[in-house]
Amino acid sequence: MASSAMVTANQLIIMEELKLFRTWSSPFALRVVWALDLKGIQYDTIFEDISNKSSLLLQYNPIYKKVPVLVHNGKPLLESLVILEYIDETWKQTPLLPEDPSERATARFWAKFGDDKVLPSIWNVFIKQGKDQEEAIVTAQENLGFVERQLTGKKFFNGETIGLVDLAFGWLANLLSVLEEVCGATLIDHEKFPLLLEWIQNFAYAPIIKESWPPRDKLITKYQAHHEVYTSKEAPK
Amino acid sequence: MFGMRVRIALAEKGIKYEYKEEDLKNKSPLLLEMNPIKKQIPVLIHNGKPVCESLIIVQYIDEVWNDKSPLLPSDPYQRAQARFWADFVDKKVFGDAQKVCSTKGEEQEAGKKEFLETLKTLEVELGDKPYFGGETFGYVDLSFITFYSWFHAYEVLGNINIEAECPKIIAWAKRCMQKEAVAKTLPDQKKVYEEHVARLRKMFVSE
């Protein structure tokens, strides 16, 4: 009798409310999916339609009106990298960040570099044409070069196991090739980026990670539509 | 502005350090070695290892010297809130302020409107708390207060009155300025404006 009462009490304690607002394609929301799944945390998913955002999403994220939003026991968390650190601090299994403060600072630096520099420079290649695109490719490859060197002697950015920086760069493992295919530019090749290509293979097929990739054909269609909008605005040079 | 965040954090914690002023037009080999990717200040070198990016440095300082004056809250949700708002300051305040300072006409009018809206958003977040961190000066306060030395410049260049639009922000800033760590680090507002104007004048003369 006593033991089943204890089991019931434990079950009540474990049942926290965790909701993730995401879209099927958002690479930022995917980071949160991976973090929760890697840690074996249970949560509910609410898929948003970006052209018709739910009033709940707008209530939780009035400033940016974007996904991902993670709501934990009614309290909203915004911005994927902030959410990842929150998850890591709240659920200690399968740590995403190292313990050493200097290594943590390095991880945070690379995650930020990815979002502030690498992603916008690759997006620039995607939306530009002609000479502008050629220049954009130079910048993007410079940035990717820094990232490539970070993988020297390591399987993942985090070392032997996947960590925050790997999740932050996750979009390189699926979205990059979609953008390359749609806009016709090749950014990474075996000659210049062997480590990055190897990382992409290791990451894309890693357990847990591989369960959540959005369908590639749907991504191609989506980004083809984007590309048409951008390239019809600009006169080719 | 960004270097000042680190200096305030170090002062708050009473940490001794060596300060090396960089000439951004003639960067030292040490800076380029320690921050080869962004080639920017601030860079904190601790036991020979570099830490880059002002807010990342502040978090590092908070984690290493964790025995005194915590800058980030200990509760994970409060920490996430602090990180969100510091990131908001970085994303919005800096960009909006640049539009106020360096554009004209319609573009500047739009920039001014956005800048004041951003300040008002921060004012709502501050609410009736003495600091963004609550009862004590913390991470978000530190990330935003360094812009205060530019307020006079924004007001003159943008023809705006920040105190009239956001009185709570000004009250908060003055409260922060009463802290020794902040008062000692932030340059005088009028000096900042005059140096900015002098820089602009030099640019026009050399063109």
Side-chain angles (χ1 to χ4, degrees), chain B residues 107-123:
Chain B
E107 215 189 325
Q108 194 193 37
E109 282 308 305
K112 278 158 62 173
K113 197 164 166 270
E114 260 189 72
F115 177 68
L116 289 169
E117 261 170 38
T118 296
L119 290 189
K120 286 190 176 128
T121 303
L122 284 163
E123 202 175 45

Side-chain angles (χ1 to χ4, degrees), chain B residues 149-150 152 177 183 185-194:
Chain B
S149 40
W150 275 83
H152 177 67
M177 288 297 282
T185 309
L186 257 52
D188 172 67
Q189 287 194 34
K190 289 223 162 56
K191 194 160 169 260
V192 166
Y193 171 66
E194 275 154 25

Side-chain angles (χ1 to χ4, degrees), chain A residues 1-15:
Chain A
M1 273 304 183
S3 57
S4 63
M6 270 162 60
V7 166
T8 309
N10 280 338
Q11 284 172 334
L12 282 171
I13 289 163
I14 294 165
M15 265 159 70

Side-chain angles (χ1 to χ4, degrees), chain A residues 10-64:
Chain A
N10 280 338
Q11 284 172 334
L12 282 171
I13 289 163
I14 294 165
M15 265 159 70
E16 299 180 76
E17 197 194 54
L18 202 53
K19 285 199 207 349
L20 174 63
F21 288 78
R22 62 172 292 198
T23 60
W24 69 270
S25 61
S26 162
F28 304 102
L30 197 48
R31 295 168 174 173
V32 182
V33 169
W34 285 325
L36 293 168
D37 290 350
L38 282 168
K39 291 187 182 255
I41 301 160
Q42 302 294 321
Y43 59 100
D44 291 324
T45 301
I46 292 124
F47 281 96
E48 286 284 327
D49 172 1
I50 282 306
S51 59
N52 187 18
K53 294 171 190 177
S54 72
S55 53
L56 210 50
L57 175 68
L58 298 174
Q59 181 193 312
Y60 283 133
N61 192 356
I63 291 172
Y64 296 124

